[in-house]
Amino acid sequence: MNTKQITVGQFTVEVVRKDIKNLRLGVYPPAGNLKMSVPLSMKEDTVRLFIMAKTAWIIKQQANPKVTLRHNTHLDLYVPHNSQLEKREQVLIAWYRQALKAKIPELIHKWQPIIGVTVRDWGVKRMKTKWGTCNINAARIWLNLELIKKPEHCLEYVVVHEMVHLLERHHNARFTAYMDQFLPHWRSHKHELNQIVLNHTDWNY
């Protein structure tokens, strides 16, 4: 199996070659990304012709599942009228994930020279009782998807918190001293973050 991006007219398509017999084209929310599974032996020209033939269908599908932010206060969810609740949730979660991932690189880039560490990898996932985690050996941090719903300074606090763990593994006096040095108001951010969690008595970051 191998993957390649191709451009056909106005579309960028991720083409994955597999041991299959038929073409499969999908449009994925929230941005309407195109992914296509094609047989291993199929020529690229054939793939391109297929995509061109599906232009009207692709445009229609891309117009259906999406989320837009209105006035920075409301989210508008666009899905087919007969879509199930699970499908609507998937579209919204995909948008949340994409939006959070757009914010993280800038924060890591900002804080790496300040803290003096290098984050080799990072990711976003849903977590029940933690805002973030740090794999010290891999220099990898994970951030909770729910942070997209919180104020941006709370997200920054969690990013700094996890990056400081690359200097000190434990929540001890040394860790606290680093937090005081790098983010003097971190306690108020922590308090705010934990206060706005509803229906979770076990959250304490």
Side-chain angles (χ1 to χ4, degrees):
M1 186 175 71
N2 60 76
T3 303
K4 177 183 179 181
Q5 276 196 346
I6 65 172
T7 301
V8 181
Q10 69 196 78
F11 306 120
T12 298
V13 186
E14 181 180 327
V15 176
V16 181
R17 293 191 175 274
K18 300 180 178 179
D19 187 13
I20 55 177
K21 293 182 179 180
N22 300 310
L23 292 163
R24 290 200 293 267
L25 176 63
V27 180
Y28 296 89
N33 294 335
L34 300 175
K35 295 182 181 180
M36 189 171 182
S37 298
V38 305
L40 293 171
S41 60
M42 181 169 287
K43 294 181 178 179
E44 188 171 309
D45 286 346
T46 304
V47 175
R48 290 177 176 276
L49 287 173
F50 180 87
I51 295 169
M52 291 173 64
K54 289 287 185 178
T55 295
W57 178 85
I58 293 171
I59 292 174
K60 180 180 178 181
Q61 295 301 311
Q62 287 182 328
N64 282 333
K66 65 179 180 179
V67 179
T68 60
L69 181 61
R70 177 162 46 95
H71 305 311
N72 285 326
T73 57
H74 294 78
L75 289 178
D76 295 324
L77 176 64
Y78 297 88
V79 291
H81 72 278
N82 59 346
S83 62
Q84 297 181 345
L85 181 61
E86 181 182 358
K87 177 63 176 178
R88 298 177 186 183
E89 184 181 20
Q90 288 174 353
V91 173
L92 187 59
I93 289 173
W95 186 88
Y96 281 146
R97 188 178 300 276
Q98 185 180 68
L100 184 57
K101 283 187 171 182
K103 298 175 181 290
I104 296 169
E106 182 178 355
L107 289 172
I108 292 176
H109 180 74
K110 170 186 173 179
W111 283 99
Q112 281 185 145
I114 298 173
I115 299 174
V117 298
T118 298
V119 176
R120 295 197 188 99
D121 194 15
W122 60 270
V124 170
K125 62 182 177 181
R126 302 176 83 176
M127 292 181 271
K128 291 184 178 181
T129 60
K130 292 182 181 294
W131 290 116
T133 62
C134 178
N135 183 318
I136 296 173
N137 293 333
R140 179 190 302 117
I141 65 174
W142 289 96
L143 298 164
N144 193 322
L145 180 61
E146 288 294 307
L147 285 166
I148 190 59
K149 302 175 185 177
K150 312 307 177 189
E152 290 201 16
H153 57 265
C154 289
L155 169 62
E156 185 167 33
Y157 155 66
V158 177
V159 170
V160 172
H161 181 116
E162 297 307 329
M163 291 178 69
V164 168
H165 274 307
L166 296 175
L167 296 177
E168 173 52 54
R169 180 186 300 269
H170 303 289
H171 292 129
N172 53 23
R174 185 167 179 256
F175 179 89
T176 300
Y178 278 133
M179 290 299 296
D180 288 339
Q181 175 185 346
F182 299 130
L183 199 66
H185 302 296
W186 68 272
R187 288 178 179 83
S188 64
H189 300 334
K190 173 184 176 179
H191 178 74
E192 180 181 1
L193 185 60
N194 290 325
Q195 284 295 309
I196 57 182
V197 177
L198 302 179
N199 301 322
H200 285 281
T201 57
D202 53 349
W203 287 72
N204 184 19
Y205 198 73

